[in-house]
Amino acid sequence: MKLARFKNLGFAALATTLISGCSLFSSEEITYKELQSFNQQVTPRVVWESSVGGGVDHFYSHLHPVVVNDMIVAADRDGMVAAYNRDNGDRLWQVDLRGALNLSKSGWWSAGEPMRIAGGLAANNDVIYLGTENGDVVALNANDGSVKWHQIVRSEVMATPAVGGGVVVVKGSTGEVIALAEDTGEQRWKHVSEVPPLSMRGTSAPVYEQGGVFVGTSTGKVIVLIAENGQPAWEARLAVPSGNTELQRMVDVDSKPVLAGAFVYNVAYNGSLAAISANSGEIVWKREYSSYQNLHFSGGRLFVTDAEDTVSALDSQGGVELWSNTDYSGRHLTAPVRFGDYIVVGDRMGYLHFINLLSGETEGRLEVDSDVYTAPVVADDTLYVQLRDGTLLAVRI
């Protein structure tokens, strides 16, 4: 389960215990399903392997690589960003942002601290964007890694920025949605929403589409802001807090909204998965699922990894469940991605699982030796996987 984040003084002592260093791991015993035998139909293989810095260590993160033209660009938590040839893994350039931004000598938070990159990577028009837990938002030229601009927003940025309509939009960990000018990084507007006393360690990545910014909130809602000025257009509630404790009342929407046709799809923790009218915010259908992972939409189907590590497929038109795979309970699965005829998820034990997207049956598996902490990235015939220790893999079938 994701770590909770405490936001008031009443939880201060417990917050220090849980959040110090944002560590993923605790001393409690974790139970999980052992791997089951399966009817192998596909044999995934690693075609090249490289490494980017020290990875993300044991910290909570969804830092992931991004494809830019014929490159795959990746970063580590400390501030190393590197580009690799997509075909063979040769490194094309590398930059240490602490040195490039002169943060190794001084920074507004503390001299010599790591960058703590956690939000990103995103790319648009040959520019790469990333955010940090220290409150930095950085734009890099994709051709050589040089810094285009650097802005400090003074809020933890833990999710991938959204780029479009001339703005770069980031979501802060305490409810802020901040829009920066795409060309200069100058702040255009800031929207602040309410936050509960307790929420998950993580935030929903914003999405830009057709002049609007779609984002999930820690209060169980999906909201749309007008990209030009940050004014709210509509909101839709996916979950209502219930229960006697703050833990039971957590209803974060940490999943990135998915826009497909006339609908927005999203899911809440302790709430529902819903289809929402993109124009009005009216909920078209709603099904009981609890998740903090991103959804995946493909071929008229929605794929979700829920909070119990069950992977399910739903018909996007009516929300009817088509199949459900419960073979990986407790293995801390990533969000699902489609790769050819398969839905691929990674787990904390160092495996990629290839699930037939029509039947829900596992038909392939690849051991990769380190925690697959974030969803793989798909480009053409290759699956790019960033592991917790900084290893970057290119996988094909």
Side-chain angles (χ1 to χ4, degrees):
M1 177 179 170
K2 287 176 69 178
L3 286 182
R5 179 176 62 244
F6 295 85
K7 297 194 182 108
N8 65 17
L9 295 178
F11 292 107
L14 187 54
T16 301
T17 302
L18 284 179
I19 303 174
S20 177
C22 306
S23 175
L24 262 176
F25 306 116
S26 64
S27 58
E28 66 183 52
E29 182 180 356
I30 299 174
T31 59
Y32 58 89
K33 278 192 175 181
E34 296 291 343
L35 295 179
Q36 305 298 309
S37 59
F38 62 94
N39 182 18
Q40 184 168 329
Q41 299 295 315
V42 64
T43 305
R45 70 189 192 283
V46 175
V47 294
W48 60 256
E49 176 179 334
S50 192
S51 179
V52 53
V56 299
D57 199 17
H58 59 281
F59 297 94
Y60 172 79
S61 180
H62 279 308
L63 179 61
H64 58 80
V66 65
V67 171
V68 186
N69 302 321
D70 59 354
M71 300 181 296
I72 180 81
V73 184
D76 77 352
R77 176 179 166 82
D78 288 347
M80 191 68 68
V81 185
Y84 305 86
N85 182 293
R86 283 175 51 193
D87 289 333
N88 55 31
D90 289 346
R91 191 168 66 196
L92 304 174
W93 55 257
Q94 178 174 289
V95 59
D96 187 340
L97 290 183
R98 290 168 297 182
L101 299 174
N102 201 29
L103 298 180
S104 57
K105 297 180 180 179
S106 65
W108 70 266
W109 64 94
S110 178
E113 290 282 349
M115 287 288 292
R116 298 190 177 97
I117 301 174
L121 306 173
N124 188 55
N125 294 328
D126 293 330
V127 179
I128 300 158
Y129 301 92
L130 59 89
T132 79
E133 293 176 12
N134 295 328
D136 304 281
V137 182
V138 183
L140 303 174
N141 293 302
N143 61 336
D144 59 6
S146 60
V147 176
K148 181 177 181 181
W149 53 256
H150 170 219
Q151 182 63 270
I152 296 173
V153 297
R154 297 186 180 273
S155 179
E156 281 187 308
V157 179
M158 301 181 64
T160 306
V163 189
V167 293
V168 178
V169 183
V170 295
K171 173 78 181 298
S173 64
T174 51
E176 308 91 341
V177 182
I178 304 165
L180 309 174
E182 186 176 356
D183 54 350
T184 65
E186 178 183 3
Q187 184 170 314
R188 291 281 183 83
W189 52 260
K190 180 178 182 178
H191 174 84
V192 180
S193 59
E194 61 178 326
V195 293
L198 180 64
S199 64
M200 308 296 284
R201 179 66 179 169
T203 59
S204 169
V207 173
Y208 172 86
E209 188 71 32
Q210 298 179 351
V213 176
F214 298 75
V215 66
T217 76
S218 57
T219 54
K221 301 176 182 178
V222 175
I223 63 173
V224 179
L225 307 173
I226 298 172
E228 184 178 0
N229 54 27
Q231 294 300 308
W234 57 252
E235 65 179 41
R237 180 170 287 282
L238 304 189
V240 177
S242 62
N244 297 322
T245 69
E246 294 296 341
L247 281 171
Q248 293 171 333
R249 294 173 61 82
M250 289 192 300
V251 290
D252 296 59
V253 179
D254 280 356
S255 176
K256 179 179 178 179
V258 173
L259 278 80
F263 302 106
V264 182
Y265 301 96
N266 216 333
V267 62
Y269 181 75
N270 282 339
S272 302
L273 190 159
I276 309 164
S277 169
N279 291 327
S280 66
E282 178 185 0
I283 293 180
V284 180
W285 58 257
K286 184 186 290 188
R287 300 290 179 265
E288 289 189 11
Y289 285 86
S290 175
S291 180
Y292 47 80
Q293 299 280 14
N294 286 341
L295 301 172
H296 184 79
F297 177 91
S298 181
R301 295 184 174 199
L302 287 167
F303 301 92
V304 58
T305 299
D306 72 14
E308 303 300 324
D309 294 313
T310 296
V311 184
S312 301
L314 292 82
D315 172 31
S316 64
Q317 293 300 308
V320 176
E321 186 173 281
L322 303 173
W323 55 256
S324 183
N325 186 314
T326 61
D327 291 343
Y328 303 109
S329 299
R331 299 185 69 88
H332 296 267
L333 297 182
T334 67
V337 296
R338 180 176 179 176
F339 184 46
D341 295 330
Y342 296 92
I343 292 300
V344 180
V345 291
D347 72 25
R348 181 183 291 181
M349 286 70 176
Y351 290 89
L352 291 171
H353 308 284
F354 292 72
I355 301 171
N356 186 295
L357 66 85
L358 296 180
S359 68
E361 298 294 327
T362 299
E363 293 185 348
R365 184 171 293 145
L366 178 66
E367 185 174 4
V368 294
D369 297 328
S370 181
D371 175 5
V372 187
Y373 73 97
T374 192
V377 173
V378 177
D380 300 326
D381 65 347
T382 307
L383 191 75
Y384 298 98
V385 188
Q386 184 167 346
L387 306 181
R388 181 168 294 280
D389 63 5
T391 300
L392 184 65
L393 303 175
V395 176
R396 293 178 187 151
I397 53 178

